[in-house]
Amino acid sequence: MTRIATPYALLLPAALLYGLFIVYPILRQFDISFYTWHIFPGVHNPFVGWSNYAKIFHDPAIRTAAWNTLLFLLFTVPIQMLLGLVAAALLTDRLPGRGLWRALIFLPVVTSWVVVSYVFAYIFAQQGGLANAVLSVFAGHAVHIDWLAQTWTGNAVIWLVSIWKGVGWSFIMFLAALDGVPRDLVESGRVDGASEPRIWRHVVIPNIRPTITFVLVLLVICASQVFTQVYITTGGGPFGSTGVLLTYAYQQAFSFFNFSYAAAIASLMAV
């Protein structure tokens, strides 16, 4: 009996923490979304049913945020996967200094999102930014582009910082997968005269397909939850044109104190 109970006893503290900080907040979020909920204790919170959810489908700001989230996903996920796979393919062989290159590619992954976002916000600042300073050298006169205050350039900066920081994770996943490809199959293909594209198509890709699927799923999940780099670099501006779903929900909750509507948005995202 003790042998059966011991594993569950060891799991109990983690399960309690998970329930307290993950499961309960999610259930409470769903509950709040059906009320006009106020943060102040003792205030009546009237039940409004599905009205917060109905409001989502008539809110033009939500459509903009959803579109920006989709654009972020479509731009960052394929590029991260492609760059990660190419870098892994180049650094799989015993190249001189490959250990250093591997470390340099993976280094941004372990840095803080907050720090990286502030660094890129400084680089693309209108006054004193490194990007404008470099352009000024080539242009021969002072350049003052407000990168973060325009829709497309602001989105481009968000995509750039996300790709720069995230490509190392894809790289390390693909590197591990390529190391597991049987070398004898690759060498046999080369001996038989198969070209490198044919080897990749018929030998390498089939062997790393599970990793490709895993990386794709994780990157899509992370892209749909993008928040920090948007909030720090552009703040969702100008006028919400670079905002994403999570920044809009955050704004509704902590700027306008519309917690019920924010909970409805988060609940739909969770579903």
Side-chain angles (χ1 to χ4, degrees):
M1 184 67 180
T2 304
R3 291 181 61 185
I4 298 175
T6 299
Y8 294 99
L10 294 174
L11 288 172
L12 183 61
L16 290 175
L17 290 174
Y18 183 82
L20 179 62
F21 293 106
I22 302 295
V23 177
Y24 172 75
I26 292 176
L27 296 177
R28 182 62 173 145
Q29 165 194 289
F30 278 102
D31 179 47
I32 290 173
S33 68
F34 292 102
Y35 293 84
T36 299
W37 192 78
H38 302 88
I39 193 173
F40 303 104
V43 177
H44 176 61
N45 300 315
F47 179 79
V48 295
W50 296 95
S51 62
N52 285 317
Y53 292 92
K55 181 181 176 182
I56 292 174
F57 296 98
H58 298 90
D59 187 351
I62 278 286
R63 289 194 289 271
T64 301
W67 173 246
N68 286 334
T69 305
L70 179 61
L71 280 178
F72 179 87
L73 189 154
L74 294 176
F75 272 89
T76 61
V77 170
I79 294 176
Q80 286 185 66
M81 294 185 67
L82 179 61
L83 291 179
L85 183 57
V86 170
L90 292 175
L91 295 176
T92 298
D93 297 327
R94 297 187 177 278
L95 299 176
R98 67 171 183 163
L100 175 61
W101 285 110
R102 288 180 176 184
L104 290 176
I105 293 173
F106 187 73
L107 183 61
V109 178
V110 299
T111 57
S112 165
W113 267 116
V114 175
V115 173
V116 170
S117 298
Y118 273 115
V119 168
F120 272 77
Y122 165 74
I123 291 173
F124 290 96
Q126 182 181 16
Q127 300 294 333
L130 181 61
N132 282 336
V134 172
L135 289 177
S136 297
V137 172
F138 288 100
H141 58 83
V143 175
H144 299 289
I145 300 175
D146 200 351
W147 302 90
L148 304 178
Q150 302 177 54
T151 301
W152 284 106
T153 54
N155 276 323
V157 171
I158 293 169
W159 302 337
L160 180 62
V161 62
S162 303
I163 293 169
W164 180 83
K165 190 179 186 307
V167 71
W169 181 82
S170 300
F171 161 74
I172 210 71
M173 293 294 106
F174 287 132
L175 188 65
L178 290 175
D179 282 340
V181 175
R183 303 300 298 177
D184 55 342
L185 294 179
V186 176
E187 295 301 329
S188 297
R190 288 172 178 165
V191 169
D192 292 338
S195 62
E196 287 298 321
R198 288 181 64 86
I199 291 175
W200 271 83
R201 180 182 176 184
H202 297 289
V203 178
V204 178
I205 295 300
N207 277 278
I208 68 170
R209 187 171 286 118
T211 302
I212 293 174
T213 303
F214 172 76
V215 171
L216 176 62
V217 171
L218 265 292
L219 287 180
V220 168
I221 292 173
C222 292
S224 65
Q225 298 175 346
V226 58
F227 174 78
T228 305
Q229 57 269 51
V230 181
Y231 183 75
I232 291 177
T233 54
T234 67
F239 305 107
S241 61
T242 62
V244 292
L245 288 171
L246 279 184
T247 58
Y248 185 68
Y250 180 90
Q251 182 187 46
Q252 290 296 316
F254 298 104
S255 296
F256 305 135
F257 300 104
N258 194 352
F259 291 97
S260 301
Y261 188 45
I265 297 171
S267 297
L268 275 184
M269 293 183 64
V271 172

